[in-house]
Amino acid sequence: MKTNDAPSADGVWHHCHLLADADPARAMRDAAIAVEHGRIVWLGEASALPESLRHLPRHDAAGAWITPGLVDCHTHLVYGGQRADEFAMRLAGASYEEIARAGGGIVSTVRATRDADEATLFAQAAPRLEALLAEGVTAIEIKSGYGLSLDAERKQLRVARQLGEAYGVTVHTTFLGAHALPPEYAGRADDYIELVCNTMLPALAGEKLVDAVDAFCEGIGFSPAQTERVFEAAARHGLPVKLHAEQLSNLGGAALAARHRALSADHLEHLDEAGVAAMAQAGTVAVLLPGAYYFLRDTHLPPLALLRQYGVPIAIATDHNPGTSPTTSLLLMMNMACTLFRMTVPEVLAGVTVHAARALGAADRHGRLAVGRVADFALWRVDSPAELAYRFGGNPCAAVVRQGRVHVQGKGIQR
């Protein structure tokens, strides 16, 4: 349901249980939330509802658990085409080089993205977004990085903005021009980085299409020196940075990101203790992406024990993209983070709320429920919040309140 069709959430939400900050130890049974003009004006035990709010309309949550809206802090949601045939080729034994020679790999997505107009990109991305929204997502990051030219990157970012407006969801746009080397720049990576820093970023930032800047620091991506040039360009435009780091090898990308006070460093399977310590000192969030780990059949686990030891906040995201994580289920990623990475239920609940919001630089607006904040929350037909991580293959979301409007997913919520 698009935002213009959704009714207001104003009123008192009662007959519910509340997990206001994703910490099960502070869960509250028989709770209520009062919303006026799209903002939370009170929350607490239902018996303590102030007399001044008792006149408001009532929303019967029918015993649902209410949590903050989920935050998907790492996606590549807008792109052209798909790569299912490439997946089949790989399973049949084709090598990466063979797939690339057949026109596959990231080049195929770049070509499809460049060929598509904005309306086509919107139409292809909308079902992906709808699937995430149906699972309680109320804020999402959408990266560019499949255009690799000014016009094509602009298209991706414009569509990301359009999706946010159409669906009433908070969209944070990230410019990922330094994602891969486009075919026309083969063998000229430094020249391409110059284009990213001195042409693409200034233009897109000037058009207010960029909320943050990202890069892929990897042997098959860009070097630490090239990444630093991107970060310096971002600083010139007053934009925060984040980084695809230590996914396939350890190039010291996380420490580099930390030196630039990055919002997050993402993937991190090959992160070492020095990188963890640097992230802890800088307050950089570790974003773990179990979908890509699973899809690539990786066996090198991110250093969860070190992240815990140093107190680095850990977020979980879908990394939705056509090549390595074609998932549209953040709930499934919670389960995978538990089963593959051995994270605990409280860790993954915080990972898709509090810490994910911090990874977007939006901790003051998303990730927890508090008086004065916009009403962004999800209602779940579960007996315990642990079920959100425990189950996979289903969706217990009964309704989502996004930007103060109600989007009903199924039966059980009465207005």
Side-chain angles (χ1 to χ4, degrees), residues 19 65 67 70 135 330-335 345 348-349 352 378-382 384-392 394-397:
L19 196 63
W65 274 92
T67 70
L70 306 188
E135 288 193 349
L330 191 54
L331 294 178
L332 178 59
M333 297 305 97
M334 294 169 66
N335 178 271
V345 168
V348 296
L349 287 171
V352 296
L379 291 83
W380 308 94
R381 292 184 297 269
V382 294
S384 161
E387 288 187 52
L388 302 184
Y390 160 70
R391 299 187 183 278
F392 58 96
N395 181 11
C397 190

Side-chain angles (χ1 to χ4, degrees), residues 147-387:
L148 308 184
S149 70
L150 176 57
D151 288 344
E153 292 286 300
R154 178 186 285 121
K155 280 192 305 186
Q156 287 190 272
L157 295 168
R158 282 174 53 87
V159 170
R161 291 279 197 236
Q162 292 163 15
L163 288 166
E165 294 168 2
Y167 286 92
V169 58
T170 302
V171 170
H172 289 255
T173 54
T174 297
F175 172 57
L176 182 57
H179 187 199
L181 196 61
E184 63 270 22
Y185 277 85
R188 296 189 295 133
D190 284 333
D191 290 344
Y192 178 65
I193 290 296
E194 182 177 353
L195 178 74
V196 167
C197 295
N198 297 330
T199 299
M200 295 167 70
L201 180 54
L204 298 172
E207 295 170 26
K208 306 299 182 185
L209 291 174
V210 181
D211 297 321
V213 175
D214 196 352
F216 184 33
C217 185
E218 190 56 74
I220 62 172
F222 297 95
S223 70
Q226 291 162 341
T227 299
E228 186 138 39
R229 289 171 59 190
V230 174
F231 283 0
E232 290 168 351
R236 290 195 293 271
H237 294 278
L239 293 168
V241 297
K242 46 187 20 187
L243 187 65
H244 287 62
E246 272 76 90
Q247 180 184 10
L248 306 174
S249 62
N250 184 1
L251 296 184
L256 169 62
R259 288 199 301 274
H260 288 266
R261 300 288 170 178
L263 293 173
S264 70
D266 304 30
H267 285 290
L268 303 177
E269 284 84 351
H270 292 264
L271 179 64
D272 61 13
E273 187 167 3
V276 174
M279 290 175 64
Q281 185 174 16
T284 297
V285 177
V287 179
L288 304 187
L289 305 168
Y293 179 91
Y294 163 82
F295 196 81
L296 293 173
R297 294 187 288 187
D298 202 347
T299 58
H300 201 291
L301 288 164
L304 193 62
L306 283 173
L307 293 170
R308 288 168 172 158
Q309 177 186 332
Y310 280 85
V312 175
I314 303 171
I316 303 298
T318 62
D319 188 21
H320 175 84
N321 74 80
T324 62
S325 189
T327 179
T328 52
S329 176
L330 191 54
L331 294 178
L332 178 59
M333 297 305 97
M334 294 169 66
N335 178 271
M336 284 188 175
C338 292
T339 56
L340 298 178
F341 296 163
R342 305 297 190 265
M343 292 181 68
T344 67
V345 168
E347 284 175 333
V348 296
L349 287 171
V352 296
T353 54
V354 179
H355 298 326
R358 184 173 172 179
L360 294 182
D364 60 335
R365 301 183 299 282
H366 293 282
R368 55 168 47 94
L369 303 178
V371 171
R373 293 194 175 196
V374 171
D376 278 320
F377 51 84
L379 291 83
W380 308 94
R381 292 184 297 269
V382 294
D383 295 325
S384 161
E387 288 187 52

Side-chain angles (χ1 to χ4, degrees), residues 53-197:
L53 299 176
R54 293 181 182 272
H55 70 284
L56 294 175
R58 293 284 178 134
H59 304 271
D60 185 352
W65 274 92
I66 292 182
T67 70
L70 306 188
V71 179
D72 194 351
C73 64
H74 182 132
T75 85
H76 306 251
L77 204 71
V78 176
Y79 55 86
Q82 50 79 25
R83 291 180 27 208
D85 291 341
E86 173 185 325
F87 174 67
M89 290 174 63
R90 189 164 63 246
L91 292 176
S95 68
Y96 180 85
E97 290 77 12
E98 290 170 331
I99 291 170
R101 284 198 299 270
I106 192 172
V107 173
S108 67
T109 301
V110 171
R111 182 169 55 249
T113 302
R114 289 178 173 182
D115 289 345
D117 60 18
E118 289 185 18
T120 300
L121 290 174
F122 184 100
Q124 292 182 357
R128 302 166 194 149
L129 178 61
E130 289 170 0
L132 289 165
L133 300 182
E135 288 193 349
V137 169
T138 61
I140 185 170
E141 185 230 34
I142 300 178
K143 302 179 189 291
S144 64
Y146 285 117
L148 308 184
S149 70
L150 176 57
D151 288 344
E153 292 286 300
R154 178 186 285 121
K155 280 192 305 186
Q156 287 190 272
L157 295 168
R158 282 174 53 87
V159 170
R161 291 279 197 236
Q162 292 163 15
L163 288 166
E165 294 168 2
Y167 286 92
V169 58
T170 302
V171 170
H172 289 255
T173 54
T174 297
F175 172 57
L176 182 57
H179 187 199
L181 196 61
E184 63 270 22
Y185 277 85
R188 296 189 295 133
D190 284 333
D191 290 344
Y192 178 65
I193 290 296
E194 182 177 353
L195 178 74
V196 167
C197 295

